[in-house]
């Protein structure tokens, strides 16, 4: 049996690689079709909104994360709470807290909910 932390690590490593490669479609494919996504702007629902969000990010954006908490809420649902540092080539890093719900689908584990909160709030 795969642990909640392992599930998160697998999905988030793919997410990080897509962010670092500035590949918004690759990132969006890691989300469910009806994912609720809350980045640093108003929320969207679905992969198209995720792709548009990451497509608007500057080239050179990179993500480094640390899993703070991981909980299996059910056999097919994992809750994660992370500390993430987004770094840029032309401005200071942005530290955030990230909450995710990762759901097992027929295509594998996908992010069903993603919510960012600036660190320190």
């Amino acid at each position: 049996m795969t642990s909640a932390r392992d599930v998160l690590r697998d999905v988030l490593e793919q997410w990080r690689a897509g962010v670092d490669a500035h590949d918004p479609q690759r990132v969006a494919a890691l989300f469910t079709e009806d994912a609720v996504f809350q980045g640093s702007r108003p929320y969207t629902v679905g992969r198209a909104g995720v792709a548009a969000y990451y497509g608007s990010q500057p080239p050179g954006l990179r993500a480094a994360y640390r899993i703070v908490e991981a909980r299996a809420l059910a056999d097919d649902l994992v809750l994660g709470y992370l500390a993430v540092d987004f770094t840029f080539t032309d401005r200071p890093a942005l530290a955030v807290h990230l909450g995710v719900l990762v759901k097992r689908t027929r295509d594998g584990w996908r992010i069903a909910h993603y919510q960012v909160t600036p660190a320190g709030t």
Side-chain angles (χ1 to χ4, degrees), residues 10-55:
D10 180 57
V11 173
L12 292 166
E13 275 302 303
Q14 294 176 69
W15 167 81
R16 183 200 52 76
V19 170
D20 290 359
H22 194 68
D23 188 342
Q25 294 303 321
R26 182 174 163 190
V27 174
L30 296 169
F31 286 77
T32 61
E33 296 279 348
D34 62 348
V36 175
F37 179 86
Q38 174 68 61
S40 60
R41 295 193 293 271
Y43 85 97
T44 63
V45 175
R47 289 180 178 157
V50 174
Y53 179 86
Y54 282 105

Side-chain angles (χ1 to χ4, degrees), residues 56-72:
S56 72
Q57 297 302 314
L61 173 70
R62 298 186 64 83
Y65 70 89
R66 178 177 57 84
I67 298 171
V68 178
E69 293 289 336
R71 306 273 167 81

Side-chain angles (χ1 to χ4, degrees), residues 66-105:
R66 178 177 57 84
I67 298 171
V68 178
E69 293 289 336
R71 306 273 167 81
L73 301 178
D75 288 343
D76 62 349
L77 192 62
V78 173
L79 170 69
Y81 181 67
L82 306 108
V84 181
D85 291 317
F86 290 103
T87 56
F88 305 86
T89 59
D90 62 345
R91 60 184 138 172
L94 175 64
V96 302
H97 302 292
L98 173 61
V100 293
L101 282 175
V102 179
K103 179 180 178 179
R104 187 188 340 242
T105 70

